[in-house]
Amino acid sequence: MNVLFRTDSSLTIGTGHVMRCLTLANQLKKQVNANVSFICRDLEGNLINFIKDNGFRVLVLPKIQINKADHLAIFKWYEKNWKQDVYETQFLFKKYNFSIDLLVVDHYGLDSKWESKIKPFSKKIMVIDDLANRKHVCDFLLDQNWYLNYQDRYKNLVPPECKQLLGPNYVLLREEFIEASRQKRIRDGKIHNILVFFGGTDPTNETIKTLNALALLENNIKVNVVVGSSNRRKHEIREYCDRYLNFFFHCQVSNMAELMNEADLAIGAGGTTTWERCYLGLPSITIIVADNQIELTDSVSKFGATINLGCSHEVTSDQIFEAVKDLIEHPKKAQLLSERASKLVNHKIVNTYPVVKVIMEELK
């Protein structure tokens, strides 16, 4: 079984697309011995070497010229130049004589126009999305997020025969989280350990903003600070942490589930990490750092599973401090956040990797 992933990562795109694709890739390799490859564009801050380090072949699309000051520039490029991406992708297919059973596309810049041109090269196409803002030509669509109207979001955006895998019961969690859930703590709401993580790149510098808030707390609270290797300010953040005995710096970790299990509270962005926190019942304060996180964070907050402070440009260190201080003074609030978060994910279903099961049934 030959599986190909088309996804990108960069300082502006972030690392979430690649990380969830790697989770699915590892499970397909483990459970059905799939032959897995990736196609990624050479963008600044990419995870191409990280994908290779995980044991997968990566075919690289050429660099492109974009306005680095515009965080939406990469998506504007794809909107205008999607045909170029089609041509370059097809060139790789022909060069390496690919026989593809499943093509997995996880990319906000690609839609039905691109997919219809690529479809003849693959038996099946799976799209991973959470925006529900464009049409797709695909056999499966995966959106692992929970929204108030999650069952109807793609009603007119995919073909009638498309199998839709919707909601957090289809969440792609790394095995470390499945394992950590077996030692999952019973949380009493008391906060002695805080985890700070704003994704692999943190382009809006929420980490420093949060540390400025936590520096005002009593120093008997342990603070674990995690950044990705692509974070431009990682050296500055390390130096900040070195000034405090209770701040501990971590870069590109492989034990995130362990750190979450140890934490009593997490402060971070929305996106995929939301479900990792919910799965382990970790109370959280969320700051929205990208437009695609707005609807998800709002829905999870209304369910009572996180505290939504709003969009990053509106959030101050003082607001973060007050939110943390309130939870420290009212442990029952933190405990309720934990209970509500756990209810959003059905552990028995998630642990069986239902996405892999669906793929295998369709490709028999």
Side-chain angles (χ1 to χ4, degrees):
M1 178 180 174
N2 296 317
V3 181
L4 181 67
F5 286 82
R6 174 67 186 96
T7 189
D8 282 338
S9 55
S10 73
L11 293 175
T12 52
I13 293 174
T15 60
H17 299 278
V18 164
M19 295 305 288
R20 63 187 177 190
C21 284
L22 276 174
T23 299
L24 180 56
N26 278 309
Q27 284 304 312
L28 289 170
K29 183 178 180 180
K30 178 181 178 181
Q31 295 192 35
V32 298
N33 198 29
N35 179 30
V36 178
S37 301
F38 282 72
I39 291 181
C40 303
R41 190 166 290 281
D42 185 3
L43 302 171
E44 185 180 4
N46 67 70
L47 290 183
I48 289 172
N49 287 333
F50 184 75
I51 298 171
K52 291 179 180 178
D53 290 343
N54 273 263
F56 299 108
R57 177 171 66 163
V58 183
L59 305 179
V60 182
L61 297 173
K63 289 183 179 180
I64 56 176
Q65 295 297 320
I66 58 172
N67 179 5
K68 294 181 181 180
D70 181 2
H71 74 284
L72 296 177
I74 183 65
F75 302 114
K76 293 175 182 176
W77 185 91
Y78 274 103
E79 187 177 352
K80 292 181 180 178
N81 301 282
W82 64 272
K83 288 183 179 179
Q84 177 181 331
D85 195 276
V86 166
Y87 172 78
E88 292 169 346
T89 302
Q90 289 178 343
F91 175 80
L92 291 177
F93 288 166
K94 294 170 184 176
K95 179 180 179 180
Y96 292 95
N97 194 26
F98 269 126
S99 172
I100 307 169
D101 296 300
L102 177 67
L103 172 65
V104 181
V105 185
D106 189 345
H107 203 300
Y108 292 155
L110 304 177
D111 59 15
S112 60
K113 299 190 295 295
W114 186 94
E115 293 149 7
S116 63
K117 296 292 185 182
I118 297 296
K119 192 168 177 60
F121 292 85
S122 181
K123 293 179 182 177
K124 299 284 185 180
I125 292 181
M126 167 179 275
V127 168
I128 302 178
D129 191 25
D130 48 37
L131 294 180
N133 66 346
R134 63 206 189 282
K135 290 188 175 182
H136 294 289
V137 176
C138 56
D139 303 284
F140 317 98
L141 183 133
L142 168 64
D143 185 342
Q144 59 191 13
N145 293 313
W146 184 82
Y147 308 94
L148 298 178
N149 64 331
Y150 76 97
Q151 293 179 322
D152 300 318
R153 296 178 82 232
Y154 296 91
K155 192 172 183 180
N156 299 311
L157 298 179
V158 296
E161 65 275 13
C162 173
K163 188 177 288 284
Q164 299 182 44
L165 312 178
L166 307 176
N169 288 336
Y170 289 101
V171 67
L172 296 171
L173 289 171
R174 300 192 300 277
E175 281 194 9
E176 63 170 300
F177 287 94
I178 306 296
E179 191 61 36
S181 71
R182 298 188 175 104
Q183 287 86 39
K184 184 177 168 184
R185 294 170 48 203
I186 297 174
R187 303 181 186 277
D188 59 8
K190 295 177 182 177
I191 297 173
H192 305 289
N193 183 313
I194 297 176
L195 174 66
V196 178
F197 176 57
F198 284 92
T201 59
D202 186 16
T204 58
N205 199 20
E206 300 308 301
T207 303
I208 292 292
K209 184 193 295 182
T210 301
L211 296 185
N212 286 335
L214 299 183
L216 301 175
L217 297 173
E218 297 292 335
N219 62 10
N220 62 338
I221 293 180
K222 182 178 181 179
V223 178
N224 282 313
V225 184
V226 179
V227 302
S229 58
S230 300
N231 189 310
R232 285 176 167 174
R233 300 180 179 90
K234 58 180 179 285
H235 300 298
E236 176 188 351
I237 295 168
R238 179 193 289 273
E239 290 174 1
Y240 194 115
C241 291
D242 286 344
R243 299 203 298 266
Y244 294 87
L245 293 175
N246 59 319
F247 284 17
F248 298 87
F249 176 85
H250 309 266
C251 183
Q252 201 64 47
V253 301
S254 58
N255 64 331
M256 180 61 84
E258 179 185 345
L259 291 171
M260 284 191 179
N261 241 358
E262 291 175 358
D264 303 307
L265 174 68
I267 306 173
T272 303
T273 314
T274 298
W275 300 116
E276 295 169 352
R277 297 186 300 241
C278 286
Y279 183 73
L280 295 179
L282 176 58
S284 64
I285 294 172
T286 303
I287 299 173
I288 298 165
V289 301
D291 290 346
N292 63 298
Q293 298 175 6
I294 295 174
E295 188 178 359
L296 165 64
T297 305
D298 182 58
S299 297
V300 174
S301 174
K302 287 179 177 175
F303 189 80
T306 190
I307 292 174
N308 178 13
L309 288 188
C311 295
S312 58
H313 63 276
E314 300 172 337
V315 179
T316 66
S317 292
D318 287 342
Q319 288 174 301
I320 299 170
F321 171 75
E322 290 299 331
V324 174
K325 183 169 173 284
D326 183 59
L327 289 177
I328 291 173
E329 293 175 350
H330 302 92
K332 288 295 182 183
K333 288 185 178 181
Q335 189 176 28
L336 185 58
L337 283 171
S338 174
E339 292 171 358
R340 298 296 288 175
S342 293
K343 289 179 180 178
L344 271 176
V345 183
N346 186 319
H347 287 64
K348 290 182 180 179
I349 294 176
V350 169
N351 292 3
T352 63
Y353 288 99
V355 175
V356 176
K357 285 190 173 183
V358 172
I359 290 173
M360 291 314 303
E361 287 171 2
E362 291 295 317
L363 289 178
K364 279 181 181 178

